[in-house]
Amino acid sequence: MPEKGEDSLDYTDRLQRLAIHDERLDVADFGDVVGDPTTLDPKTMALARVAALVSVGGAAPSFGAHVDAAVSAGSTAAEIVDMLVGVIPIVGLPRAVAAAPKIALALGHDLEVDVVGDPAVARRVGRRAGDGGDLTAAT
């Protein structure tokens, strides 16, 4: 195992240290993954981080920062939504449903305005179009 101070640990060393929660574990050992990944392109890493937020039920500001990073790395809004749909079998539909409005807001869409104003959606959630209120309470 490389000593601290060498350029970086290889993936097996990092994995081993994580698996055994090595007391020598240091954020510096993982700087290439946390800061500037060397084996994943920035777009893939950004999408993975948004997927991780979905899985843990991240806060809206975190989604804002990481969705912005994903877009800056070249992800499209459609790819971000595809990622959200793609993680449903792993994280479950409730987590994806909870993350959807946070991702939408991060992408510049206010679902309260965009969705409630649509008469078809309003009928489905039992409201009149333009009624306002909290969509999540009705779904």
Side-chain angles (χ1 to χ4, degrees):
M1 194 178 294
E3 293 298 317
K4 191 171 182 169
E6 290 187 21
D7 289 339
S8 69
L9 300 173
D10 74 10
Y11 81 93
T12 58
D13 294 325
R14 292 186 305 203
L15 187 59
Q16 182 180 32
R17 284 190 181 187
L18 282 168
I20 65 172
H21 197 171
D22 189 324
E23 64 187 35
R24 296 172 295 155
L25 189 67
D26 186 352
V27 173
D29 294 334
F30 301 94
D32 58 333
V33 173
V34 174
D36 185 26
T38 56
T39 57
L40 290 179
D41 63 274
K43 178 179 168 180
T44 301
M45 180 58 82
L47 286 170
R49 288 178 174 162
V50 176
L53 281 174
V54 173
S55 73
V56 299
S62 295
F63 276 99
H66 289 286
V67 167
D68 284 350
V71 170
S72 293
S75 297
T76 65
E79 289 171 325
I80 294 168
V81 173
D82 286 347
M83 172 280 309
L84 178 61
V85 172
V87 299
I88 290 172
I90 307 303
V91 303
L93 186 59
R95 286 276 185 188
V97 168
K102 297 171 190 174
I103 290 174
L105 192 58
L107 290 171
H109 300 283
D110 184 350
L111 292 183
E112 294 264 337
V113 172
D114 295 347
V115 174
V116 176
D118 182 340
V121 173
R123 277 192 304 276
R124 194 169 66 239
V125 297
R127 307 213 181 131
R128 293 184 317 272
D131 197 8
D134 182 11
L135 261 185
T136 57
T139 58

